[in-house]
Amino acid sequence: MASLPSLRPLADDAVRGPARWLASWGRLVVLAAMILVLVLTPSTWRREGRRQVARHIYASTAPSLLWFTLLVALVSLIIIRIVVATALNYGLSQYALEAVIRVLVLELLPLSAPVFVALRYSIPMADGLYARRQQQARQVSADARAAGDGVLEPGTAPALQSVATEFMPRAVAGVFACVMLVAISCVATLMLAYFTVYGFVLSGLPEYTRRVGQVFNASVSLIFTLKTIFFSLAVSLIPLTSSLYDASTRMSRSRVELHGIVRMFAVILLVEVASLVGNYS
């Protein structure tokens, strides 16, 4: 039988585990609130602030916009052809277009674009920010850091100025990239679906518009919009929060990245399940 002293570390871990979990999500909420305040503050959008945000938006969106759109168009065209051909073979052609819209536009594209932005921009950006802050912390003396010279020590709460210059532009850029890629990929897929089903004519546009409108009713449109927003916030804020608060001397860089990835995909999974329940319950 285990003695009382040997059980004490297990009890401490059982108590500290949920406390650390709640603290990590609380820090995420605090950082999101600070970024929201800065976004709504007019002084943030002065010339230098606009320049920083525009630079990060370009870095997060422009390099991958064209080839991501082409890749999505190619995959979507293959899926559309398969669904339409299968529906024709089984005499269910009237349901082919609705199935394409629901599978691709409502589910796959809003999920694939944020995951792509996370792997292409958010996670490498957070890793680079963490490495740069670690390098700054090693170069600056302890007295200068204690005097509040603007260098942010790993694992400490950020000052509002540090959030405005380092975190807010990156978070806004991540959200913008997700929304932009979702919008462009959905529009491209809807156009490909129309041309595949009706051909290069305009006579089928009224019927096509009516069918799309039947799928995108008020509740579905609201769920689609909220899902896209929450996905964008998850892939933009969670890696930043991990690079800020989890970057302690007791945690390696790989462990910090892993914590951020697990949290991010957990939120994405919860949002996706909630959207499925809202759309099909």
Side-chain angles (χ1 to χ4, degrees):
M1 184 174 179
S3 61
L4 184 60
S6 63
L7 294 178
R8 186 171 299 174
L10 297 177
D12 293 340
D13 292 339
V15 174
R16 294 174 183 174
R20 286 194 296 264
W21 183 83
L22 291 175
S24 64
W25 290 108
R27 291 163 182 167
L28 173 63
V29 173
V30 170
L31 182 62
M34 295 176 70
I35 291 176
L36 179 61
V37 169
L38 289 170
V39 169
L40 298 178
T41 302
S43 60
T44 304
W45 301 101
R46 294 174 180 173
R47 182 175 181 180
E48 183 60 29
R50 294 197 306 268
R51 185 178 302 174
Q52 289 184 1
V53 173
R55 183 171 65 251
H56 286 288
I57 286 177
Y58 179 85
S60 65
T61 309
S64 55
L65 182 61
L66 178 59
W67 69 270
F68 176 78
T69 305
L70 294 177
L71 179 61
V72 167
L74 178 61
V75 175
S76 299
L77 183 60
I78 295 173
I79 296 176
I80 292 169
R81 297 286 294 183
I82 292 174
V83 172
V84 171
T86 304
L88 288 175
N89 291 335
Y90 288 94
L92 301 174
S93 58
Q94 66 272 21
Y95 303 109
L97 188 58
E98 181 178 351
V100 166
I101 295 174
R102 288 189 178 274
V103 171
L104 285 177
V105 180
L106 286 183
E107 305 302 336
L108 292 183
L109 294 180
L111 181 61
S112 61
V115 172
F116 176 82
V117 172
L119 298 177
R120 172 66 177 79
Y121 174 74
S122 298
I123 296 176
M125 172 269 301
D127 180 64
L129 184 61
Y130 164 63
R132 184 164 63 86
R133 287 175 48 241
Q134 290 280 47
Q135 183 179 6
Q136 289 178 348
R138 287 192 297 265
Q139 291 176 351
V140 179
S141 63
D143 293 337
R145 292 198 301 271
D149 60 347
V151 175
L152 194 62
E153 272 201 54
T156 59
L160 192 62
Q161 183 62 31
S162 299
V163 175
T165 57
E166 293 186 349
F167 295 94
M168 190 274 292
R170 292 171 170 84
V172 172
V175 172
F176 179 86
C178 290
V179 174
M180 178 64 68
L181 292 183
V182 169
I184 291 180
S185 59
C186 288
V187 170
T189 301
L190 289 174
M191 294 176 60
L192 289 173
Y194 175 82
F195 293 140
T196 303
V197 175
Y198 297 98
F200 294 90
V201 294
L202 297 178
S203 58
L205 191 59
E207 181 183 359
Y208 178 75
T209 305
R210 178 178 60 83
R211 290 192 176 185
V212 173
Q214 289 176 350
V215 175
F216 281 93
N217 53 37
S219 60
V220 172
S221 300
L222 178 61
I223 292 173
F224 177 82
T225 303
L226 293 177
K227 179 170 67 172
T228 302
I229 293 174
F230 283 123
F231 281 169
S232 304
L233 293 176
V235 302
S236 302
L237 294 177
I238 294 178
L240 283 176
T241 308
S242 297
S243 69
L244 173 62
Y245 291 105
D246 292 340
S248 61
T249 56
R250 294 173 296 177
M251 297 179 62
S252 62
R253 184 186 301 184
S254 60
R255 189 177 178 187
V256 171
E257 292 177 357
L258 182 60
H259 279 199
I261 293 173
V262 170
R263 292 171 187 169
M264 182 185 66
F265 280 103
V267 172
I268 290 176
L269 179 61
L270 290 176
V271 173
E272 180 64 24
V273 171
S275 67
L276 290 174
V277 172
N279 284 330
Y280 302 106
S281 59

